[in-house]
Amino acid sequence: MKGWLPLAGIGLLAGLAGVSLWLADRHATPPAIEAGPVDASPAAIQSALFRDGDGAPRSLGQFAGKVLVVNFWATWCTPCREEMPGFVKLQSRWQDRGVQFVGLAQDDPAKVAAFGRELGVNYPLWLGEEGVMALSRRLGNRLGVLPHTVLLDGQGRVIESRIGVFAEPVLESRLAAITGK
Amino acid sequence: MKKLLPVLATCLAAAASAAPASSDEPLDPDKAFVPTARLVATAPAAAGTGERHGIDVEYRIEPGYYLYRNRLKFELHPANVLTGPPEFPPGIEVDDPFLGKSAIFRDRVTIHIPFAVSMARPGHYRVRIVAQGCAEDRICYSPFVQEVAVNIPPGYRVMDFPATQAPPAAPRGLPR
């Protein structure tokens, strides 16, 4: 009978620990997960046309030679907005090491500009119509969800494609591994 | 002692399973947000008012997912039934630090699309829906299209206002 008590205590503690973990994790943001297969050539990725805040045409090819972090996002997407402060910090830390961030959105240009100003976004926020999500889907985003972040090498080849919030430390370690810096 | 082992095993299993499988892929939008449509006729709300007819689109929303109220759009195809503006329940108000106040739907919601029966032609129809929603703290779906079928049977020609009354004004938003 007495032998029960320690075991019962351990069992109870294990149960409580599990419940505590669950409660703590309920509101934690799950990590970004790997997207599906890519169906876009580097040439198609680099030549896809977008426009900047002034309406001028832009394409990812203008950053050839750099490691690109291409982030598909929208102002109405709360998880997208939550990960962007981390991208701003990483752009500052990695811009001299051959890394360039670009945000792509199919969204209201005025809202994109306002959010960019409010957050102090230090990388280009480009816009497009259906072509934005079409490219995202071709880069593995089967479900058409946001945020979707794609790492490209200097030739426009896909290194990694992830959906969900890309946490700053995780992305930074990926950039270190990719650039060797 | 032997009796206690199953209890302990259950506790440990509960602890192990309590952490969610957070690395799972989000649900396909057609599984996270499941719409169905049905023809409805409601009783008069007050004396002197006619029955209300239309289509109820009910959404069943998976736990942890939500739909944006002001981003739902409905179209009836073929468009030979004139429908009024959709009637949305208020939803759950959310205050977004950037976008301001808006409303979302969770769990279940029914949106009523009214039409005048006198103008309804029997036939098979499709309600085309454009929706936007999110999985809490995780991802949002870019606008996605869903379709649900609804059938107006032959003989569905009851009057939607008493014959002695003047016809109601055309619902707002209808073409003139």
Side-chain angles (χ1 to χ4, degrees):
Chain A
M1 176 68 182
K2 280 182 183 171
W4 284 33
L5 291 172
L7 284 172
I10 292 167
L12 189 63
L13 285 173
L16 287 173
V19 171
S20 308
L21 275 174
W22 176 70
L23 285 173
D25 207 33
R26 265 176 79 195
H27 299 293
T29 302
I33 63 165
E34 205 171 323
V38 172
D39 179 29
S41 67
I45 295 167
Q46 288 189 323
S47 63
L49 277 179
F50 307 99
R51 60 181 191 280
D52 64 19
D54 298 323
R58 299 287 181 185
S59 66
L60 297 173
Q62 77 178 70
F63 295 118
K66 292 191 171 188
V67 169
L68 279 186
V69 182
V70 180
N71 175 234
F72 295 87
W73 73 292
T75 54
W76 52 268
C77 163
T78 308
C80 302
R81 299 199 321 256
E82 284 174 355
E83 72 177 349
M84 287 172 74
F87 292 175
V88 170
K89 289 181 199 164
L90 289 174
Q91 175 66 79
S92 293
R93 288 205 291 271
W94 286 82
Q95 63 188 358
D96 296 333
R97 288 180 272 180
V99 173
Q100 179 64 51
F101 282 67
V102 178
L104 297 178
Q106 179 185 354
D107 205 338
D108 178 346
K111 285 182 179 169
V112 167
F115 183 71
R117 278 194 303 273
E118 188 174 303
L119 188 65
V121 175
N122 53 357
Y123 55 84
L125 296 177
W126 293 345
L127 295 143
E129 302 301 330
E130 286 78 9
V132 171
M133 286 315 292
L135 179 63
S136 174
R137 286 178 189 273
R138 291 181 68 193
L139 293 172
N141 185 5
R142 183 181 69 82
L143 297 175
V145 299
L146 298 169
H148 173 211
T149 303
V150 184
L151 307 186
L152 303 173
D153 71 9
Q155 285 75 51
R157 291 178 298 225
V158 176
I159 304 168
E160 194 165 329
S161 176
R162 288 192 171 266
I163 58 171
V165 174
F166 218 144
E168 182 189 337
V170 179
L171 180 51
E172 182 147 46
S173 69
R174 295 295 300 129
L175 293 176
I178 291 163
T179 60
K181 293 173 183 172
Chain B
M1 176 67 187
K2 279 182 185 171
K3 286 180 185 170
L4 193 64
L5 285 176
V7 177
L8 182 58
T10 306
C11 289
L12 289 172
S17 63
S22 56
S23 60
D24 287 351
E25 187 177 70
L27 291 174
D28 186 288
D30 287 334
K31 289 184 177 156
F33 311 103
V34 183
T36 51
R38 66 192 175 95
L39 211 54
V40 291
T42 57
T49 60
E51 292 182 341
R52 294 173 71 246
H53 292 265
I55 297 164
D56 271 1
V57 175
E58 185 186 66
Y59 260 104
R60 200 179 70 239
I61 302 166
E62 282 293 311
Y65 289 73
Y66 60 85
L67 280 176
Y68 283 109
R69 181 182 186 272
N70 66 350
R71 291 178 183 267
L72 280 165
K73 296 186 180 85
F74 299 88
E75 283 176 6
L76 197 61
H77 293 279
N80 53 3
V81 174
L82 294 178
T83 57
E87 296 167 6
F88 297 94
I92 304 161
E93 190 177 278
V94 289
D95 198 359
D96 183 291
F98 178 69
L99 299 174
K101 285 186 178 168
S102 63
I104 58 169
F105 297 128
R106 295 182 190 276
D107 303 322
R108 276 177 191 269
V109 63
T110 301
I111 298 111
H112 182 69
I113 305 168
F115 63 71
V117 174
S118 49
M119 298 178 190
R121 293 184 191 168
H124 297 285
Y125 292 86
R126 290 171 290 113
V127 183
R128 184 178 187 273
I129 310 164
V130 181
Q132 270 175 263
C134 301
E136 194 84 65
D137 296 331
R138 193 173 179 198
I139 54 97
C140 291
Y141 296 85
S142 56
F144 54 92
V145 175
Q146 295 178 303
E147 284 195 349
V148 282
V150 68
N151 182 37
I152 299 181
Y156 193 77
R157 286 280 180 185
V158 295
M159 298 298 286
D160 57 345
F161 51 88
T164 53
Q165 259 184 256
R172 282 182 297 123
L174 289 180
R176 293 177 187 276

